[in-house]
């Protein structure tokens, strides 16, 4: 229970907390991990092996960067450093559904190999994902208070987070004349480790006018699911060996070469669900209260303030009291859509444009656009650069490379959608990095 209240506090305040888009990785078709964005991508090497040697991490905050937050810290006359919340509220317009997104993945094992026109793959991947939606309602209320006649809407706060293991079997095949079309897919068995899912988050507080004697009305309808959190207390083995929260997923993709210049790719990633039934808990708070204000005729009695505030506090406590049950529940995966067009500028130089969309949580989605260039240097070096619009930011310069020794053996790679953010995270609203090495033959 204590884990729930901690996570609830995080989801209803300003604190940092579920799929990570990887626009530059789309171009790195020499690297096996590019198939995580499209299972129809066919790496050049016949065999690819990964042994706990591929890591991905990404963080996004659409509202502000760390340096923008730090700029609002001021030094008082006594030498104390404090955060100027009013200045932060004035400088950063946190309207709508801003979010903080954090995620990572580790390829514990991966194997891919060609057999004629067919390509097969197996991967075991650990995924960590989380997203916190927020707006400026709490901060604005803290700074300016509640105005008579105003309704404060705190419904923009919700938290989605999960840790799960994926076991994927992939396949793609070349079709049509000259192998112009490649279709591919990946079937995924999923094991859920832990989850926090805000199914519903509707909270409003209305303050009456002076004529209404500042009557206060509050309404709450909150439903939060959790799973796997209590297993953390029992030890690492109970948590990491848990296989009772099962699910299934699928990735679908295709590539098509129109002519010598133009080609196209499309993929849908993470169609699926996880059923959470082991160590599953649901917390529901639903109700309303009305504090009728202060009666002017009995405001003071015998020169003393005569108002019983327990009526207000008891009503609030009862309204926001959470009821717990242990019913199983299901959550969908953060579904991603990639659409890419390629144009062959020169035999080894390719330009690209990628449209990206993902869907997660209460019908919410985000979009991104990337323009890129890929350059191959023989079979040993591949370099890609991108410029992308994402996370409400327009200064994302991506870079990626793969370096393969000799005709095969060791392949080292690194990819980022915002290389400046990767080197200086405090300045960026978005940064992601995928790096590691493969054995290729």
């Amino acid at each position: 229970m204590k884990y729930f209240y901690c996570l609830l506090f995080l989801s209803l305040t300003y604190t940092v907390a579920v799929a990570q888009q990887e626009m530059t990785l789309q171009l790195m078709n020499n690297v096996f991990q590019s198939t995580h964005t499209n299972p129809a991508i066919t790496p050049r090497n016949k065999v690819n092996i990964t042994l706990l040697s591929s890591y991905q991490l990404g963080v996004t905050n659409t509202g502000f960067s760390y340096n923008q937050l730090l700029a609002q810290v001021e030094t008082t006359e006594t030498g104390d450093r404090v955060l100027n919340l009013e200045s932060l509220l004035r400088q950063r317009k946190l309207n709508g559904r801003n979010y903080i997104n954090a995620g990572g993945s580790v390829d514990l094992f991966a194997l891919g190999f060609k057999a004629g026109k067919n390509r097969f793959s197996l991967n075991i991947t650990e995924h960590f994902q989380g997203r916190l939606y927020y707006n400026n309602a709490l901060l604005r209320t803290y700074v300016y208070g509640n105005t008579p006649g105003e309704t404060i809407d705190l419904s923009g706060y919700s938290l989605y987070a999960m840790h799960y293991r994926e076991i994927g079997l992939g396949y793609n095949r070349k079709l049509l004349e000259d192998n112009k079309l490649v279709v591919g897919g990946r079937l995924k068995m999923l094991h859920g480790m832990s989850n926090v899912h805000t199914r519903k988050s509707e909270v409003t507080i209305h303050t009456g006018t002076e004529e209404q004697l500042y009557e206060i009305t509050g309404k709450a309808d909150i439903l939060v699911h959790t799973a796997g959190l209590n297993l953390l207390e029992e030890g690492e083995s109970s948590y990491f060996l848990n296989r009772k929260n099962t699910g299934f997923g699928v990735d679908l993709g295709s590539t098509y070469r129109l002519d010598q210049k133009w080609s196209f790719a499309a993929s849908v990633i993470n169609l699926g669900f996880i059923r959470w039934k082991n160590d599953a808990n649901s917390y529901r708070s639903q109700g309303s209260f009305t504090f009728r204000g202060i009666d002017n005729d009995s405001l003071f009695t015998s020169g003393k303030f005569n108002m019983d505030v327990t009526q207000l506090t008891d009503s609030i406590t009862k309204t926001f009291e959470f009821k717990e049950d242990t019913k199983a529940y299901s959550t969908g995966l953060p579904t991603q859509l990639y659409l890419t067009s390629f144009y062959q500028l020169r035999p080894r130089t390719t330009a690209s444009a990628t449209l990206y969309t993902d869907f997660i949580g209460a019908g919410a989605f985000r979009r991104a656009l990337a323009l890129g260039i890929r350059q191959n240097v023989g079979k040993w070096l591949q370099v890609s650069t991108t410029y992308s619009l994402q996370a409400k930011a327009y200064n994302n310069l991506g870079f990626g490379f793969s370096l393969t020794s000799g005709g095969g053996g060791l392949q080292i790679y690194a990819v980022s959608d915002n290389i400046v953010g990767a080197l200086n995270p405090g300045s960026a609203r978005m940064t992601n990095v995928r790096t590691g090495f493969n054995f290729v033959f």
Side-chain angles (χ1 to χ4, degrees):
M1 188 70 177
K2 63 182 179 181
Y3 291 109
F4 166 72
Y5 284 114
C6 178
L7 288 165
L8 179 66
F9 175 77
L10 291 176
S11 65
L12 295 179
T13 60
Y14 60 84
T15 310
V16 173
V18 233
Q20 290 291 328
Q21 76 271 35
E22 296 185 84
M23 312 292 278
T24 310
L25 186 63
Q26 275 272 295
L27 279 69
M28 303 297 295
N29 61 351
N30 277 357
V31 179
F32 170 81
Q33 282 69 27
S34 64
T35 64
H36 289 322
T37 66
N38 188 337
I41 292 177
T42 304
R44 173 182 298 167
N45 302 287
K46 292 183 178 180
V47 179
N48 299 265
I49 301 174
T50 303
L51 297 172
L52 195 60
S53 56
S54 176
Y55 309 92
Q56 180 266 330
L57 177 66
V59 178
T60 301
N61 186 351
T62 61
F64 50 86
S65 69
Y66 175 77
N67 287 349
Q68 289 172 333
L69 180 66
L70 196 63
Q72 309 307 318
V73 176
E74 301 176 350
T75 303
T76 65
E77 295 179 354
T78 60
D80 297 326
R81 292 177 60 81
V82 297
L83 177 62
N84 188 329
L85 296 178
E86 184 174 0
S87 177
L88 176 65
L89 181 63
R90 188 171 57 251
Q91 295 292 328
R92 311 259 49 95
K93 296 180 180 180
L94 307 179
N95 298 320
R97 288 176 66 81
N98 296 281
Y99 61 85
I100 297 172
N101 195 85
S105 64
V106 179
D107 283 332
L108 303 178
F109 173 78
L111 170 66
F113 61 92
K114 291 180 181 179
K117 293 186 175 183
N118 307 296
R119 187 174 185 89
F120 301 88
S121 67
L122 167 67
N123 69 282
I124 303 174
T125 306
E126 208 83 1
H127 293 277
F128 310 86
Q129 302 173 343
R131 181 177 295 183
L132 170 68
Y133 288 102
Y134 66 95
N135 56 37
N136 67 356
L138 279 176
L139 180 59
R140 180 167 50 85
T141 303
Y142 180 82
V143 173
Y144 297 119
N146 51 330
T147 305
E150 178 188 24
T151 298
I152 302 171
D153 188 357
L154 304 178
S155 302
Y157 294 83
S158 55
L159 176 64
Y160 304 87
M162 70 171 72
H163 168 205
Y164 68 96
R165 184 173 299 127
E166 167 194 322
I167 302 174
L169 291 174
Y171 171 77
N172 69 38
R173 180 176 174 82
K174 298 177 180 179
L175 302 170
L176 300 184
E177 183 182 358
D178 297 327
N179 300 323
K180 287 185 175 183
L181 176 66
V182 180
V183 295
R186 180 182 293 107
L187 296 177
K188 303 190 286 190
M189 177 71 178
L190 309 175
H191 297 290
M193 302 300 170
S194 58
N195 176 251
V196 178
H197 182 81
T198 306
R199 183 76 67 178
K200 209 166 191 180
S201 176
E202 298 177 3
V203 180
T204 59
I205 299 175
H206 176 78
T207 304
T209 62
E210 183 178 357
E211 291 74 14
Q212 297 170 318
L213 302 177
Y214 306 110
E215 176 180 289
I216 298 176
T217 301
K219 297 180 181 180
D221 190 357
I222 303 172
L223 176 59
V224 180
H225 299 300
T226 70
L229 303 185
N230 292 317
L231 292 178
L232 290 171
E233 283 188 288
E234 299 178 11
E236 295 181 359
S237 60
S238 298
Y239 178 81
F240 285 102
L241 297 180
N242 176 26
R243 297 183 180 180
K244 296 181 180 179
N245 300 316
T246 57
F248 299 92
V250 62
D251 300 339
L252 300 172
S254 64
T255 63
Y256 179 72
R257 189 177 74 255
L258 179 64
D259 52 35
Q260 294 299 317
K261 293 291 186 179
W262 287 98
S263 58
F264 305 91
S267 61
V268 180
I269 307 300
N270 282 336
L271 287 171
F273 69 94
I274 297 177
R275 183 67 172 170
W276 304 91
K277 55 185 178 180
N278 186 39
D279 191 24
N281 295 278
S282 298
Y283 303 89
R284 185 68 183 264
S285 174
Q286 189 176 35
S288 63
F289 73 88
T290 300
F291 177 67
R292 296 299 179 184
I294 304 170
D295 188 350
N296 285 335
D297 295 333
S298 59
L299 178 60
F300 293 98
T301 300
S302 302
K304 296 181 179 180
F305 188 66
N306 188 28
M307 183 183 71
D308 186 4
V309 296
T310 58
Q311 175 193 353
L312 176 61
T313 57
D314 289 348
S315 297
I316 294 175
T317 301
K318 185 176 180 180
T319 299
F320 291 94
E321 181 180 2
F322 284 88
K323 298 180 180 179
E324 181 180 354
D325 66 47
T326 57
K327 293 181 180 179
Y329 65 96
S330 298
T331 60
L333 299 180
T335 304
Q336 303 169 281
L337 173 65
Y338 290 90
L339 299 173
T340 305
S341 61
F342 299 94
Y343 183 77
Q344 201 73 29
L345 296 172
R346 300 179 64 182
R348 297 178 181 273
T349 307
T350 307
S352 70
T354 300
L355 289 173
Y356 170 89
T357 303
D358 71 16
F359 308 86
I360 179 172
F365 60 92
R366 62 176 174 173
R367 299 188 183 97
L369 168 66
L371 304 176
I373 295 288
R374 178 178 66 210
Q375 180 67 51
N376 289 320
V377 181
K379 296 183 178 181
W380 63 277
L381 177 64
Q382 184 175 73
V383 177
S384 296
T385 60
T386 58
Y387 169 74
S388 61
L389 310 177
Q390 52 180 308
K392 299 182 181 180
Y394 309 95
N395 58 348
N396 303 304
L397 298 176
F399 177 78
F401 77 91
S402 67
L403 183 63
T404 305
S405 62
L410 181 65
Q411 180 188 70
I412 301 173
Y413 73 92
V415 189
S416 175
D417 284 346
N418 188 346
I419 189 64
V420 176
L423 299 175
N424 184 15
S427 66
R429 292 190 186 183
M430 184 282 299
T431 184
N432 61 18
V433 177
R434 181 183 286 272
T435 186
F437 61 89
N438 301 312
F439 298 100
V440 297
F441 307 97

mmCIF file of all heavy atoms in Angstrom, residues 371-388:
data_model
loop_
_atom_site.group_PDB
_atom_site.id
_atom_site.type_symbol
_atom_site.label_atom_id
_atom_site.label_comp_id
_atom_site.label_asym_id
_atom_site.label_seq_id
_atom_site.Cartn_x
_atom_site.Cartn_y
_atom_site.Cartn_z
ATOM 1 N N LEU A 371 13.710 14.342 -41.041
ATOM 2 C CA LEU A 371 14.377 14.322 -42.339
ATOM 3 C C LEU A 371 15.790 13.822 -42.121
ATOM 4 O O LEU A 371 16.458 14.240 -41.165
ATOM 5 C CB LEU A 371 14.396 15.717 -42.957
ATOM 6 C CG LEU A 371 13.044 16.404 -43.134
ATOM 7 C CD1 LEU A 371 13.237 17.821 -43.680
ATOM 8 C CD2 LEU A 371 12.130 15.598 -44.056
ATOM 9 N N GLY A 372 16.250 12.916 -42.994
ATOM 10 C CA GLY A 372 17.543 12.301 -42.736
ATOM 11 C C GLY A 372 18.368 12.031 -43.979
ATOM 12 O O GLY A 372 17.862 12.049 -45.104
ATOM 13 N N ILE A 373 19.657 11.784 -43.747
ATOM 14 C CA ILE A 373 20.609 11.380 -44.785
ATOM 15 C C ILE A 373 21.388 10.177 -44.260
ATOM 16 O O ILE A 373 21.871 10.189 -43.122
ATOM 17 C CB ILE A 373 21.601 12.509 -45.139
ATOM 18 C CG1 ILE A 373 20.876 13.697 -45.760
ATOM 19 C CG2 ILE A 373 22.678 11.993 -46.080
ATOM 20 C CD1 ILE A 373 20.380 13.453 -47.162
ATOM 21 N N ARG A 374 21.522 9.153 -45.094
ATOM 22 C CA ARG A 374 22.319 7.970 -44.754
ATOM 23 C C ARG A 374 23.454 7.818 -45.759
ATOM 24 O O ARG A 374 23.236 7.913 -46.967
ATOM 25 C CB ARG A 374 21.441 6.715 -44.761
ATOM 26 C CG ARG A 374 22.220 5.430 -44.456
ATOM 27 C CD ARG A 374 21.265 4.246 -44.436
ATOM 28 N NE ARG A 374 20.682 3.983 -45.733
ATOM 29 C CZ ARG A 374 19.468 3.445 -45.919
ATOM 30 N NH1 ARG A 374 18.721 3.139 -44.877
ATOM 31 N NH2 ARG A 374 19.012 3.228 -47.137
ATOM 32 N N GLN A 375 24.656 7.559 -45.216
ATOM 33 C CA GLN A 375 25.836 7.380 -46.064
ATOM 34 C C GLN A 375 26.514 6.070 -45.719
ATOM 35 O O GLN A 375 26.848 5.816 -44.562
ATOM 36 C CB GLN A 375 26.819 8.541 -45.867
ATOM 37 C CG GLN A 375 28.083 8.439 -46.699
ATOM 38 C CD GLN A 375 27.805 8.590 -48.189
ATOM 39 O OE1 GLN A 375 27.148 9.538 -48.608
ATOM 40 N NE2 GLN A 375 28.292 7.651 -49.000
ATOM 41 N N ASN A 376 26.709 5.227 -46.724
ATOM 42 C CA ASN A 376 27.461 3.991 -46.554
ATOM 43 C C ASN A 376 28.877 4.177 -47.099
ATOM 44 O O ASN A 376 29.074 4.756 -48.170
ATOM 45 C CB ASN A 376 26.784 2.834 -47.298
ATOM 46 C CG ASN A 376 25.485 2.417 -46.631
ATOM 47 O OD1 ASN A 376 25.392 2.362 -45.408
ATOM 48 N ND2 ASN A 376 24.473 2.132 -47.444
ATOM 49 N N VAL A 377 29.843 3.684 -46.365
ATOM 50 C CA VAL A 377 31.238 3.683 -46.801
ATOM 51 C C VAL A 377 31.686 2.226 -46.815
ATOM 52 O O VAL A 377 32.022 1.644 -45.780
ATOM 53 C CB VAL A 377 32.131 4.520 -45.864
ATOM 54 C CG1 VAL A 377 33.570 4.509 -46.358
ATOM 55 C CG2 VAL A 377 31.601 5.950 -45.756
ATOM 56 N N GLY A 378 31.656 1.617 -48.002
ATOM 57 C CA GLY A 378 31.957 0.198 -48.105
ATOM 58 C C GLY A 378 30.995 -0.614 -47.245
ATOM 59 O O GLY A 378 29.837 -0.247 -47.039
ATOM 60 N N LYS A 379 31.499 -1.744 -46.732
ATOM 61 C CA LYS A 379 30.692 -2.575 -45.842
ATOM 62 C C LYS A 379 31.036 -2.361 -44.370
ATOM 63 O O LYS A 379 30.431 -2.974 -43.505
ATOM 64 C CB LYS A 379 30.888 -4.056 -46.201
ATOM 65 C CG LYS A 379 30.388 -4.436 -47.585
ATOM 66 C CD LYS A 379 30.557 -5.930 -47.829
ATOM 67 C CE LYS A 379 30.021 -6.322 -49.202
ATOM 68 N NZ LYS A 379 30.167 -7.799 -49.447
ATOM 69 N N TRP A 380 31.983 -1.460 -44.108
ATOM 70 C CA TRP A 380 32.484 -1.351 -42.742
ATOM 71 C C TRP A 380 31.937 -0.151 -41.974
ATOM 72 O O TRP A 380 31.995 -0.116 -40.732
ATOM 73 C CB TRP A 380 34.005 -1.292 -42.751
ATOM 74 C CG TRP A 380 34.562 -0.080 -43.465
ATOM 75 C CD1 TRP A 380 34.757 0.054 -44.812
ATOM 76 C CD2 TRP A 380 34.980 1.142 -42.873
ATOM 77 N NE1 TRP A 380 35.266 1.291 -45.104
ATOM 78 C CE2 TRP A 380 35.430 1.990 -43.918
ATOM 79 C CE3 TRP A 380 35.055 1.616 -41.565
ATOM 80 C CZ2 TRP A 380 35.919 3.267 -43.703
ATOM 81 C CZ3 TRP A 380 35.545 2.890 -41.341
ATOM 82 C CH2 TRP A 380 35.964 3.705 -42.398
ATOM 83 N N LEU A 381 31.369 0.852 -42.675
ATOM 84 C CA LEU A 381 30.900 2.042 -41.978
ATOM 85 C C LEU A 381 29.569 2.513 -42.552
ATOM 86 O O LEU A 381 29.392 2.588 -43.778
ATOM 87 C CB LEU A 381 31.934 3.169 -42.096
ATOM 88 C CG LEU A 381 31.546 4.523 -41.478
ATOM 89 C CD1 LEU A 381 31.371 4.397 -39.965
ATOM 90 C CD2 LEU A 381 32.594 5.585 -41.816
ATOM 91 N N GLN A 382 28.649 2.841 -41.664
ATOM 92 C CA GLN A 382 27.380 3.464 -42.040
ATOM 93 C C GLN A 382 27.148 4.649 -41.096
ATOM 94 O O GLN A 382 27.271 4.514 -39.875
ATOM 95 C CB GLN A 382 26.215 2.477 -41.944
ATOM 96 C CG GLN A 382 24.889 3.051 -42.418
ATOM 97 C CD GLN A 382 23.769 2.021 -42.431
ATOM 98 O OE1 GLN A 382 23.277 1.624 -41.381
ATOM 99 N NE2 GLN A 382 23.392 1.554 -43.621
ATOM 100 N N VAL A 383 26.807 5.811 -41.660
ATOM 101 C CA VAL A 383 26.587 7.024 -40.881
ATOM 102 C C VAL A 383 25.246 7.628 -41.293
ATOM 103 O O VAL A 383 24.925 7.696 -42.486
ATOM 104 C CB VAL A 383 27.713 8.058 -41.104
ATOM 105 C CG1 VAL A 383 27.424 9.338 -40.338
ATOM 106 C CG2 VAL A 383 29.055 7.474 -40.682
ATOM 107 N N SER A 384 24.469 8.081 -40.305
ATOM 108 C CA SER A 384 23.179 8.712 -40.570
ATOM 109 C C SER A 384 23.046 9.981 -39.742
ATOM 110 O O SER A 384 23.504 10.042 -38.593
ATOM 111 C CB SER A 384 22.029 7.768 -40.236
ATOM 112 O OG SER A 384 22.035 6.632 -41.066
ATOM 113 N N THR A 385 22.417 10.989 -40.325
ATOM 114 C CA THR A 385 22.091 12.211 -39.614
ATOM 115 C C THR A 385 20.617 12.536 -39.845
ATOM 116 O O THR A 385 20.070 12.232 -40.921
ATOM 117 C CB THR A 385 22.944 13.403 -40.079
ATOM 118 O OG1 THR A 385 22.723 13.619 -41.472
ATOM 119 C CG2 THR A 385 24.415 13.137 -39.834
ATOM 120 N N THR A 386 19.969 13.157 -38.847
ATOM 121 C CA THR A 386 18.557 13.519 -38.968
ATOM 122 C C THR A 386 18.315 14.882 -38.336
ATOM 123 O O THR A 386 19.049 15.332 -37.449
ATOM 124 C CB THR A 386 17.633 12.496 -38.273
ATOM 125 O OG1 THR A 386 17.992 12.386 -36.889
ATOM 126 C CG2 THR A 386 17.701 11.135 -38.941
ATOM 127 N N TYR A 387 17.267 15.525 -38.815
ATOM 128 C CA TYR A 387 16.698 16.695 -38.153
ATOM 129 C C TYR A 387 15.241 16.367 -37.904
ATOM 130 O O TYR A 387 14.508 15.999 -38.826
ATOM 131 C CB TYR A 387 16.815 17.940 -39.031
ATOM 132 C CG TYR A 387 16.003 19.095 -38.494
ATOM 133 C CD1 TYR A 387 16.427 19.805 -37.372
ATOM 134 C CD2 TYR A 387 14.798 19.455 -39.094
ATOM 135 C CE1 TYR A 387 15.674 20.842 -36.865
ATOM 136 C CE2 TYR A 387 14.036 20.496 -38.593
ATOM 137 C CZ TYR A 387 14.473 21.191 -37.474
ATOM 138 O OH TYR A 387 13.721 22.215 -36.965
ATOM 139 N N SER A 388 14.790 16.488 -36.653
ATOM 140 C CA SER A 388 13.433 16.056 -36.316
ATOM 141 C C SER A 388 12.692 17.113 -35.516
ATOM 142 O O SER A 388 13.280 17.890 -34.750
ATOM 143 C CB SER A 388 13.457 14.738 -35.538
ATOM 144 O OG SER A 388 14.158 14.867 -34.319
#
